[in-house]
Amino acid sequence: MLALSARQIELKEHKLELATSLALYQHAIHLLSPALAQRTTVVLASSVVLCVLEMLSCSPKAWRRHLDGCAALIQALGITGICGGAEQAIFWCFARMDVCGGLISPEQTLIPMSKWIGGGALAEDVRLLQAKDNCDTKANHIEYLLGRVVELLCRFGRWEQRHQYPNLVYTHKQYVSHWLELFDHIETWHRNRPQELKPILVIPAEHSDPPSTFPTVMYPNCPAISGNQLYHTAALLMLKHKPASLHLSAKPRSMLWHARQVCAISMSNSNHACWSNATQPIWIAGQLMSHASEHRAILELYERMEGEMGWATKWRAKDLLDHWGDLQS
């Protein structure tokens, strides 16, 4: 924890000398390495904390190689998202990093989605998650569904893994069936979320005083902030990759609406724990923005996030500037 805290302070204060955090990190590795064979909860928790430190220290696109060992340890210990106790909390801390890495790469999660909960199939996993009726589990539930979105897009070949896993790629008919099932679960999560996960204040952008680029959408707690942002991210990705031949009986919200909600949530709720999970959703949503005022607001948000947390966001801001091209001026 000292190593992680030191690295965050160094990044926030823009210190070029990283000797303190590096020395603490090396000492932590020296203490942890002999204990790895014990495979205890304490060892696992320490490994996950060091994963966070490594993610703060390296290029975000190289994150996944730092998560490999921790993923193997979690699976070796048989830890899942519903095992209870400290192990369950550690699992979901890692799971957020795993999904984030999958969105960056883009690749399937290091821990296969079939092993996250224990049911194997999507419907059974959802049933097991729904049996755990509390605010945190509801947020974990949508994290799980976003992981399933990553899996679906990789297996269908919408992302880069098609050539790597040709035997896992769905046919078009299978993709349509899986898409419908997964999208229904995502929308059901949003429709049935408890009061604790609903916004406590919503002000449309045009009704703000002064007028705002994005709406104000405030939530009462961290699970609500992250959970709803992940819902909008999952829905946006699903709609972006909706089978062209598929016509839904009920018209869903537009991709742009979901994208604006993703940005609005981070702008309205300055919770650092939630911000640390928001860099990728904002980047995905930002690609749909076409107005200069929207671009400025997103870039200012990224700058504020990095300034307050030390968590790298400039690389995604640059990616958005490249994507927007001439539209940014």
Side-chain angles (χ1 to χ4, degrees):
M1 290 303 295
L2 288 173
L4 176 59
S5 299
R7 180 55 53 91
Q8 185 186 27
I9 291 170
E10 290 165 349
L11 291 170
K12 284 180 65 178
E13 296 180 357
H14 305 290
K15 292 183 177 179
L16 297 178
E17 180 59 55
L18 304 179
T20 301
S21 64
L22 179 59
L24 289 167
Y25 171 73
Q26 290 173 339
H27 184 60
I29 292 293
H30 176 73
L31 294 174
L32 183 62
S33 296
L36 284 173
Q38 299 174 18
R39 296 183 177 184
T40 64
T41 301
V42 173
V43 168
L44 178 59
S46 301
S47 300
V48 171
V49 170
L50 289 178
C51 279
V52 177
L53 187 150
E54 288 160 351
M55 292 171 75
L56 274 171
S57 306
C58 70
S59 165
K61 294 184 179 180
W63 278 357
R64 284 176 68 85
R65 63 186 174 87
H66 292 287
L67 302 179
D68 273 330
C70 210
L73 183 57
I74 288 172
Q75 293 180 83
L77 291 170
I79 293 172
T80 71
I82 58 169
C83 64
E87 290 87 355
Q88 179 176 311
I90 293 169
F91 176 90
W92 287 108
C93 179
F94 178 85
R96 280 163 173 74
M97 293 188 283
D98 200 1
V99 171
C100 183
L103 291 172
I104 293 171
S105 299
E107 294 179 285
Q108 293 192 59
T109 53
L110 292 168
I111 299 178
M113 293 306 304
S114 60
K115 297 182 179 180
W116 274 41
I117 306 303
L122 172 60
E124 179 61 15
D125 281 351
V126 168
R127 186 189 68 78
L128 291 170
L129 283 167
Q130 288 174 336
K132 307 285 185 177
D133 189 21
N134 61 69
C135 198
D136 286 334
T137 302
K138 295 297 183 185
N140 294 337
H141 183 173
I142 194 63
E143 181 80 44
Y144 164 83
L145 292 176
L146 180 56
R148 283 290 191 179
V149 172
V150 172
E151 176 189 56
L152 178 68
L153 298 182
C154 287
R155 287 191 170 189
F156 186 61
R158 294 301 179 111
W159 284 354
E160 294 176 1
Q161 278 199 323
R162 184 169 193 164
H163 65 285
Q164 297 179 31
Y165 302 95
N167 59 320
L168 296 179
V169 176
Y170 297 134
T171 64
H172 179 73
K173 184 177 180 180
Q174 288 173 318
Y175 179 69
V176 171
S177 174
H178 283 61
W179 190 98
L180 280 169
E181 181 187 15
L182 181 52
F183 189 69
D184 180 62
H185 281 299
I186 291 168
E187 290 301 295
T188 298
W189 179 92
H190 186 255
R191 190 166 53 248
N192 295 343
R193 65 199 158 137
Q195 194 63 38
E196 297 92 333
L197 294 189
K198 293 181 179 179
I200 56 175
L201 177 67
V202 178
I203 304 174
E206 62 275 16
H207 294 165
S208 297
D209 185 16
S212 173
T213 304
F214 288 93
T216 297
V217 188
M218 298 189 70
Y219 287 94
N221 53 64
C222 194
I225 297 167
S226 282
N228 282 280
Q229 188 170 56
L230 294 177
Y231 157 72
H232 291 295
T233 305
L236 170 55
L237 286 171
M238 290 293 284
L239 291 170
K240 182 178 180 180
H241 297 284
K242 183 177 77 69
S245 59
L246 185 61
H247 298 284
L248 300 173
S249 55
K251 186 177 180 180
R253 295 275 198 169
S254 70
M255 288 191 291
L256 182 59
W257 182 81
H258 285 292
R260 287 178 58 79
Q261 289 293 307
V262 168
C263 297
I265 288 171
S266 282
M267 291 174 184
S268 305
N269 304 270
S270 54
N271 182 296
H272 288 186
C274 299
W275 271 0
S276 66
N277 297 317
T279 304
Q280 295 310 118
I282 293 168
W283 171 71
I284 291 168
Q287 295 176 63
L288 273 72
M289 304 302 160
S290 59
H291 195 276
S293 64
E294 295 170 329
H295 299 171
R296 284 193 298 272
I298 291 171
L299 295 176
E300 288 170 2
L301 173 62
Y302 268 150
E303 184 177 6
R304 183 184 170 199
M305 289 166 63
E306 182 160 344
E308 292 187 18
M309 296 193 304
W311 197 269
T313 61
K314 287 188 179 72
W315 66 288
R316 272 311 188 202
K318 183 182 181 301
D319 288 343
L320 281 178
L321 286 169
D322 291 342
H323 177 82
W324 293 327
D326 292 339
L327 291 175
Q328 68 196 24
S329 56

